[in-house]
Amino acid sequence: MNLTPSAHHWVKSSYSNNGGSCVEWAPAYAATHGLIPLRDSKNPNGPVLALPTHAFTSFVTGIKAEAIGSA
């Protein structure tokens, strides 16, 4: 498993137009390995966090529910 930042094609989150606080992920790696690699776009050679797809899905679902509840 190669989680070296330069080894993947990274895509910015669709919510990253907020002044520079950007998260990127590697969809091709996610599709083939069942892990979602995430990194900070401001530090592309920095650490990569890899979450299992089910954990990432639960995380996003929870954030969306919180956002809807506080609107």
Side-chain angles (χ1 to χ4, degrees):
M1 178 171 13
N2 182 2
L3 289 176
T4 305
S6 62
H8 305 290
H9 172 73
W10 295 91
V11 177
K12 282 190 181 179
S13 164
S14 59
Y15 292 96
S16 289
N17 284 333
N18 61 2
S21 299
C22 303
V23 173
E24 295 179 325
W25 70 298
Y29 190 90
T32 58
H33 291 85
L35 292 171
I36 310 287
L38 303 164
R39 73 176 183 182
D40 180 349
S41 67
K42 296 182 304 302
N43 187 10
N45 294 314
V48 174
L49 173 66
L51 297 174
T53 52
H54 68 277
F56 186 73
T57 299
S58 295
F59 171 73
V60 171
T61 299
I63 295 297
K64 286 181 177 181
E66 184 66 28
I68 291 169
S70 64

